[in-house]
Structures are given as structure tokens and as C-alpha cells.
Amino acid sequence: MADTTLMDKLVSLCKRRGFVFQSSEIYGGLGSVWDYGPLGVALKRNIKDRWWNSMVHGRDDIEGLDAAILMHPKVWEASGHVAGFTDPLVDCRHCKNRFRADDPRIKGTPGQPDAQCPVCGTRGSLTEPRMFNLMFKTFMGPVEDSAAVVYLRPETAQGIYVNYLNVLQSSRQRIPFGIAQIGKAFRNEITPGNFIFRTREFEQMEMQFFVQPGTDAEWFERWREWRMQWHHSLGLTPAKLQWHQHSGSELAHYARAAFDIQYEFPFGWQEIEGIHNRGDFDLGRHQEYSGKKLEYFDQAQNQRYLPFIVETSAGADRVTLTLLVDAYREEQVEGETRVVLGLHPAVAPIKTGVFPLVKKDGMPEIAATLYHELRQEFACFYDDSGAIGRRYRRMDEAGTPFGVTVDGDTITARTVTVRHRDTMQQERVGLDRVRQYIVDRLGATR
Ligand code: GAP
């Protein structure tokens, strides 16, 4: 299967099965903004829940936070985003398209007569690069003047830094400790694309870990290991995950060290999460710009210091795309193509399909009762329409790991058929045991 074909097939499956729709589709769509349908929202929620559980519920040293999207404009001056969160941009005077100055499709040097527009092919029509800030601006209050300008946050991290003392004092944590947050972020990307990989509105799952200076390198290594383990726990193909270390020129202005976790997408190796040693850059800047002391007093050591920060920053939409890409496969079964999303049961939007083989002989009644029993425990889907093979295929495409069929033997022997998505093997399980059977196989992943 050609790689670009895989992305096309995935986009089409996502629409057909209700994972992801283009935003405002009936109006022609909005560039690089996407909506999650019933299966997509469940998949993304399962990913976020797993992240939250591993960070907040699973540890004593991390607290949760949900800071507002709108923040004081000075936050973005302190963070460096007003001055530096920019990409070089060029316009084509002829076709009016806009590109990043380093777009590999541009031939020649933008601003020079030899430069060629990659869309209309005109020579000499590209402007000199100019810096373009990626933050979305809006206005607070009724007066649209510059005093009222606010930004849609381009990362969730700053909400954590400005609340660090509030969380520290209210939770009675001590350093080392972390703050985790999941929330929307917005970037006016010049070249978004590849479906939900790079979008203008997206969700981040960020955790900032506050440590004593001098212990940061050690914590950085620990967090690198834990974060890679987490991606493995989602069932991603290990050979398709790798580290990318940022060289000096790649390092963001705040970072002392940075590693990306990359996944091998059909469009190449790309970042899905960044782990950064941010030193005391953030708290130092907020202390300077706000005039408020943000130091930590270490009672045991009778020492005052500005903590260093180790950040783990993952995109919920990127991880969703990663799981979809990794899970998609096609198989030939009895002369037909079977499309399967081999999602890990932990993240599968639906855990079990429930089917009466036929709509008679008491089967629908038993199946409906079973469905209502199972859905108390995990996400289920009841389907009584069409041939049973078709119903199985629909669940395969949705990534549902189990299918339970109520058939003739259920009436006579009180057993059902449990079908496994990946192997397509079927086994008989007692009707009164089926709930426990699936719970055991989902384990702690529900
Ligand atoms: N606070 C650090 C920070 O925001 P980043 O590398 O710019 O670092 C972190 O972003 C993660 O957020 C990325 O690894 C990616 O998963 C996600 N992300 C960033 N920009 C995105 C976009 N335009 N669309 C979707 N996800 C994005």
C-alpha cells in the first residue's frame, strides 16, 4: 500500500465511521480545523484519560490543573511568544498563496527574480520573507483597541507556570513535584496539514515537573524513559517510535536540552511529544515581568531557589492520529478486503459489539438484556441489522476488540459466541460468564 494512499484511506474511514469530520463542512470547511465524531471523541478521551491516570491518579507527586485559555497579555511577553513565536512567511503576488519561507517546494530565493511560486509556477512573484506571529489575537471587552488585545494560548504550559505557587501552597506539595494539564491550544500555522497532525486548534497534554537546580538532568532522563514507556503502553509498534535529540540550533529559546519522541508516519518521522529541560527560564521570566517572587523555600535544606522545570508536552490529536495510523490494516479474507483498526483495547472507543444472530426466536431479547448488562461496565454497541459478517466488519473498522453473538445455542445451551477482532477466532462462553470473560481481557484498561 502506497503511503499517501494509507492517509487517504484513513481520512475516508474517519469520516465514514464517525471518528473525525472537517470543521464546518457544509460551508466548505475551515482550513486545518477538525471535529471529532462519536468514535473519535471516545478514542481521544480514552487517550487523555490514560495520560491523566498515569500522571495525576497514578502518582503522589503530580497535581492536576485546568487553567483558562485566555491569559493576561503580559504572560506572552514574559514567555517570549510575542517577540519570538514566529515563522518566516512569503506571499505570492500573483496567486496570493502564502508559504513558509523554508517550504521545500520553493525553487530559488524568495524575494529574488529567480524564485518560483510552488503553486502557480510564476517566477519573481514571491515576496521577501517577513516574520509572522503564530498566536491568534482577539479583543477583551467592548473596545477593539490595542489595550484590550488578548491571545488564544499557543501552549498550555504558561497556565501552569503562573499557577505554580497557588498549586504548591494549596496542595502542600514539596519539590520535586509536578503539575499536569490537558487543554486546547491554538496556533495560526502557516503550513498546517496531514489531517489532524498539524492543526490550528488542538489539544495538549502537558506536565511541568519542578525540581531543585542540579537535579534537573537526572529528572529529565527519568521523564524521558517514563514517557516512552507510556507510548509503548498504548500498543504502538515499538520499531516506529524513536528519539530525536535537538541540536544546538534546533533548541527552543527556553530549552537547555530537548528530545522529541517521533513516530514514523506515512509522511515521515515526526514529533508526537517533546521532553524539555527548561531550566529556570519560565519562572525567572514570570518573576521578572510580574514583579512577584516565585522562589521556593526548601525547609529541610534551609535554602531558597527558583526551581528548574522538566516539561513533557504531548499533543492529544497527534497521539490520536498516531494510534489510528498504527492500527490501520487491510487483510484479504475469503476474497474480500477486511479493514481493521487493531487498536489496543485500552483506547478502543467501543469494547464489545453485541449481536442477535437473527431478529427472532427470542435472540434480540437476550442480546438486548446482555447489552444493557455489559454497558454498565464498558462501552458497547448493539447491532441487529444486516448479515452477521457485515456486522463483524463494521466493528473491525471501528477497532472494537470483541463481538458477542447470541445464536441458536444461546437458547438451548445458554452460551454465546465471542469473536476476537484480530484473529477472527470464535469461542463459546457461558451467557452468565461473558461479562467477566471480557472484563478479564480488558484488564485494568477500561
Ligand atoms: N510547551 C511546549 C510546547 O508547546 P511544542 O513542541 O511546540 O512544545 C508540543 O508542542 C506538542 O504539541 C507537540 O509534540 C505536538 O504533539 C503538539 N502540537 C504542537 N503544535 C501542534 C499543532 N499545530 N497541531 C497539533 N498538535 C500540535
Side-chain angles (χ1 to χ4, degrees), residues 382-433:
Y382 183 86
D383 189 359
D384 62 5
S385 65
I388 191 69
R390 291 236 167 277
R391 284 182 263 168
Y392 287 154
R393 293 286 185 275
R394 285 200 286 263
M395 285 291 99
D396 289 344
E397 275 195 338
T400 307
F402 302 105
V404 176
T405 305
V406 169
D407 54 22
D409 286 350
T410 314
I411 314 294
T412 54
R414 307 296 290 171
T415 59
V416 292
T417 302
V418 176
R419 174 187 180 267
H420 297 255
R421 173 197 67 202
D422 295 327
T423 59
M424 290 186 290
Q425 279 180 349
Q426 304 190 2
E427 53 187 314
R428 302 293 310 176
V429 175
L431 182 59
D432 55 354
R433 279 194 50 244

Side-chain angles (χ1 to χ4, degrees), residues 308-347:
F308 276 21
I309 291 172
V310 174
E311 166 181 67
T312 73
S313 176
D317 310 85
R318 273 207 198 161
V319 176
T320 304
L321 180 64
T322 311
L323 282 167
L324 288 167
V325 167
D326 202 66
Y328 186 96
R329 62 174 194 266
E330 293 178 4
E331 296 168 358
Q332 290 307 310
V333 179
E334 292 164 8
E336 271 189 42
T337 304
R338 174 173 100 111
V339 175
V340 190
L341 280 186
L343 291 170
H344 190 297
V347 290

